[in-house]
Amino acid sequence: MTAVPQFDPVIHPPARLQLAAALSEVDDMEFGRARDLLGVSDSVLSKHLAQMQEAAYVRLRKAPLGGRQRTWLVLTAQGRAALKAHVRALQDLAGIVG
Amino acid sequence: MTAVPQFDPVIHPPARLQLAAALSEVDDMEFGRARDLLGVSDSVLSKHLAQMQEAAYVRLRKAPLGGRQRTWLVLTAQGRAALKAHVRALQDLAGIVG
DNA sequence: GTATTGACTTTCCAATGTGGAAAATGATGA
DNA sequence: TCATCATTTTCCACATTGGAAAGTCAATAC
């Protein structure tokens, strides 16, 4: 009898929601920049990315930059759709509160 | 260097967010009805309510009904503001995604 | 070719948070 | 006073999140 719709557990946790939102506004973002933006450690970002990749919400593009291999994060169409759905779900849930 | 705004930890967890949203659309709601709506046990709802009361987001009104004491949940102005702020924060964060 | 370095990734572990069951509490009603 | 209903609190189990440190893998440095 759960009359209340559930949120997408992949995208709802703060760090991932913030990451998805940040990625939605750019074409891509470097791993290090995303890590600093979220204020987490390498390992933590890496683990969140693993979850988001598994859900196909993010794609990693690895390419050399300045001699070193770097990773760029890209929000996929599915990831964008999930973010959109989440925002909409919350708006619906909250009615016309604001 | 956390450039990303944080969410209100009291209202962000799914169960509390859903509860706040549900309460925002009515004047008040019975404890049992809220419990069924969220699909959780008495104890769990009670604990969430304790958190929300501590943040002054919810007020409990106890009064007898049918001889027995019942509890009604009321979203306070602060609770409503917090929900509103949360929705807005997410919208801002997500830009004009949808 | 091997050592080193940089950029992640994985493993390990501590801290939190959420959920349920069951015991406890408090207010009635019998 | 005893039983019952409506929560509340206590006790646990489990999942999640976070950081540190070790591991991996390229791409130089030597």
Side-chain angles (χ1 to χ4, degrees):
Chain A
M1 194 211 260
T2 300
V4 179
Q6 298 302 305
F7 293 116
D8 180 340
V10 174
I11 214 169
H12 184 258
R16 297 206 283 265
L17 188 49
Q18 293 169 335
L19 179 56
L23 292 179
S24 77
E25 300 185 336
V26 295
D27 288 337
D28 53 34
M29 186 182 290
E30 267 187 50
F31 183 98
R33 180 153 157 53
R35 176 201 57 214
D36 295 344
L37 191 68
L38 296 181
V40 297
S41 64
D42 289 343
S43 63
V44 167
L45 175 56
S46 186
K47 282 181 282 188
H48 282 308
L49 286 174
Q51 299 271 330
M52 296 176 84
Q53 282 180 89
E54 194 170 352
Y57 288 173
V58 165
R59 185 162 35 84
L60 301 194
R61 193 158 52 72
K62 286 162 188 276
L65 173 69
R68 287 281 156 209
Q69 180 119 313
R70 295 290 179 83
T71 300
W72 278 270
L73 322 182
V74 181
L75 190 67
T76 63
Q78 289 184 57
R80 187 172 300 270
L83 174 62
K84 188 171 164 178
H86 186 79
V87 174
R88 180 137 39 204
L90 183 52
Q91 286 176 326
D92 289 354
L93 199 61
I96 319 296
V97 187
Chain B
M1 193 214 258
T2 299
V4 179
Q6 298 301 306
F7 293 115
D8 180 341
V10 174
I11 213 168
H12 184 258
R16 296 204 284 264
L17 188 50
Q18 293 170 336
L19 180 57
L23 292 179
S24 76
E25 300 187 334
V26 295
D27 289 337
D28 54 33
M29 187 181 291
E30 266 188 50
F31 183 98
R33 179 154 156 56
R35 176 200 58 212
D36 294 343
L37 191 68
L38 297 182
V40 297
S41 63
D42 290 343
S43 62
V44 167
L45 175 56
S46 186
K47 282 182 280 189
H48 282 307
L49 286 174
Q51 300 272 327
M52 296 176 83
Q53 282 180 90
E54 195 170 351
Y57 288 173
V58 165
R59 186 161 35 82
L60 301 194
R61 194 158 52 72
K62 288 164 188 274
L65 173 69
R68 288 281 154 206
Q69 181 119 312
R70 295 291 178 83
T71 301
W72 278 270
L73 323 181
V74 181
L75 190 66
T76 64
Q78 289 183 57
R80 188 171 299 270
L83 175 62
K84 188 170 164 178
H86 186 79
V87 174
R88 179 139 39 207
L90 183 53
Q91 286 176 326
D92 289 354
L93 200 62
I96 318 296
V97 187

